[in-house]
Amino acid sequence: MMVTQVIDYKNATVADVETMLEWAAREGWNPGLDDAAAFYCADPGGFFAATENGRTVGCISVVNHNDEFAFLGLYIVRPSHRGRGIGIGLWQRGLAHAEDRVVGLDGVHEQQQNYARSGFVLVGRTTRYAGKINGESAVNIRRATHHDIPALVDMEAQASGSKKIRYLANWFENSASRVTFVVEAGDKIAGCATVRRCRNGNKFGPLVAHDTAMARMLFFHAACQFEGDYMIDVPDSSIGMTELCQQAGLQPGFATARMYLGQQPTMMACCYAVATLELG
């Protein structure tokens, strides 16, 4: 007699988020070595897992960054369990958590039509550039401190169109594998760049600057932090950052579709690279 296995859905723990990121690594997303804690702090109720006999078989995150905006990511079902409606169950629970917020996502091209059927609208593409960078130190750039965090959160919000206090308050705290640098104009922070070690090489994110000259300075200074190749995820609307990556000899590769369910946030015209594709 065939036994029907029951799928259970639950809120994920921080340990589950570690598993979700390992799955994301196998899918080619290359998360950072120390992402799970910062991700979980953003919204502990925004991570969901599907289990079968206690074994995790699928996951999704829909993180509520504020009262108006949420971001969807880490939407993965084990290959052996696809086609059984597990993804739909996760999708429904995730979007229910967002309530009436605008929801953004960076999805792979193959799933774009599926997202569109749920009401998501394509607004652009994000391209990952990767390669070796010969770092150049700049004397007027320093490491961020805890006291800089409110200004950094505000700066990223102006660039991305949405304020992510819980997430970035943790993200901008320096650690052994993640460091943020700032450049000042007068007595105010005018640009920032975070770099972190990943499963393979290192990643920028976010990088925010008012012009390409400042972006270039932050870009090459931050690249002195860790050995190995660097990656950066650049929206196609950030023309200056795209040109900087091309001039530095980085090669385009992995690309995602930026889509929104609801009104797209207003992004400031500046040089910008996203913090992460998983949480925006």
Side-chain angles (χ1 to χ4, degrees), residues 175-197:
S175 69
S177 65
R178 188 174 60 242
V179 180
T180 296
F181 296 95
V182 300
V183 60
E184 295 172 310
D187 60 350
K188 294 185 178 180
I189 295 174
C192 68
T194 300
V195 290
R196 73 191 195 281
R197 299 196 65 186

Side-chain angles (χ1 to χ4, degrees), residues 195-253:
V195 290
R196 73 191 195 281
R197 299 196 65 186
C198 296
R199 270 66 170 177
N200 297 304
N202 315 287
K203 272 189 203 170
F204 291 91
L207 193 157
V208 184
H210 294 303
D211 54 49
T212 53
M214 183 180 294
R216 184 188 187 282
M217 187 166 51
L218 284 162
F219 182 82
F220 284 102
H221 182 92
C224 297
Q225 180 64 30
F226 301 121
E227 295 183 354
D229 288 359
Y230 276 81
M231 286 146 273
I232 184 168
D233 296 314
V234 183
D236 56 11
S237 58
S238 183
I239 297 171
M241 190 70 71
T242 298
E243 292 176 346
L244 175 59
C245 291
Q246 293 169 343
Q247 292 166 5
L250 301 186
Q251 298 300 310

